[in-house]
Amino acid sequence: SSGINAEYGDWHDRQKSLTDRMMLMMEKYTHHLEELVDEKTAQLQVEKSKADKLLYRMLPVRVAEKLKRGEAVMAEWFDEVTIYFSDIVGFTNICSASDPLQVVDFLNDLYTCFDGVIDSYDVYKVETIGDAYMVVSGLPNRNGSKHSSEIADMALTLLEHIRTFKIRHKPDTKCM
């Protein structure tokens, strides 16, 4: 009987040890999966934030939010708006004397400058295509009769900035 107890004890210890090892492996695996899920969730949040920023650059925020919620966006009528278009004088000549990356850097610098200016006004940037820059006031936020003065004041401020703007690869060339 003592031999049976000894064999049972060894078997029980081995079984317990095997069970403990399996549980430890399962805990490690669970912990690893939790870390993986946390990492992927963080990556998803970063990508979602990038997608939202891009969407908000293409559409007014309230329109973008409605679309994200799956709601219909109804067309609206705006009685009073002012639209501003700008074009860079000599852009074709600047481009012909520049390589493509220099043109991209030039436009990026210029429109970053413009974007910083328009943040101070009740305006909405609609589009930038090549050297064309389009801004509107009075939509998507109605501002009564302020739309024309907002655009006029913004345009004068843009002119002030463009007078001192330096093209990185052509510092002696003016955009006016």
Side-chain angles (χ1 to χ4, degrees):
S1 109
S2 67
I4 293 175
N5 282 341
E7 282 181 31
Y8 175 75
D10 288 344
W11 177 83
H12 182 65
D13 288 343
R14 278 192 307 245
Q15 200 60 16
K16 184 177 175 187
S17 176
L18 180 61
T19 304
D20 288 345
R21 283 188 296 204
M22 284 179 59
M23 288 301 292
L24 185 60
M25 285 175 56
M26 293 295 284
E27 286 174 8
K28 284 182 182 178
Y29 183 67
T30 300
H31 181 70
H32 175 70
L33 285 177
E34 288 171 349
E35 286 178 343
L36 218 63
V37 166
D38 289 346
E39 180 183 324
K40 295 297 180 187
T41 300
Q43 288 174 353
L44 178 64
Q45 287 300 95
V46 167
E47 293 305 316
K48 183 182 179 308
S49 176
K50 287 179 187 177
D52 284 349
K53 284 179 184 176
L54 180 60
L55 187 61
Y56 297 149
R57 289 181 72 177
M58 295 187 316
L59 298 170
V61 173
R62 74 172 180 217
V63 171
E65 288 298 324
K66 281 185 174 184
L67 290 174
K68 283 172 49 178
R69 290 190 303 266
E71 297 174 13
V73 178
M74 302 303 292
E76 295 181 61
W77 181 264
F78 292 86
D79 292 320
E80 297 184 55
V81 299
T82 301
I83 300 171
Y84 167 90
F85 291 98
S86 71
D87 192 51
I88 300 168
V89 174
F91 183 70
T92 303
N93 292 334
I94 293 169
C95 288
S96 65
S98 307
D99 67 48
L101 289 178
Q102 289 172 326
V103 173
V104 169
D105 286 341
F106 162 50
L107 290 174
N108 186 51
D109 292 347
L110 182 65
Y111 293 149
T112 298
C113 173
F114 281 13
D115 291 348
V117 168
I118 70 170
D119 285 342
S120 301
Y121 297 92
D122 186 9
V123 299
Y124 174 71
K125 181 172 76 170
V126 178
E127 186 93 38
T128 54
I129 299 176
D131 68 324
Y133 193 80
M134 181 179 173
V135 178
V136 64
S137 184
L139 75 87
N141 301 320
R142 289 170 173 82
N143 58 7
S145 61
K146 285 179 42 181
H147 55 93
S148 56
S149 63
E150 288 292 316
I151 290 290
D153 291 342
M154 177 209 69
L156 291 171
T157 304
L158 287 175
L159 278 174
E160 288 174 24
H161 281 79
I162 201 71
R163 281 189 180 100
T164 60
F165 181 81
K166 298 274 188 229
I167 301 172
R168 270 193 254 174
H169 68 285
K170 297 182 129 328
D172 295 330
T173 303
K174 295 289 181 193
C175 297
M176 294 183 64

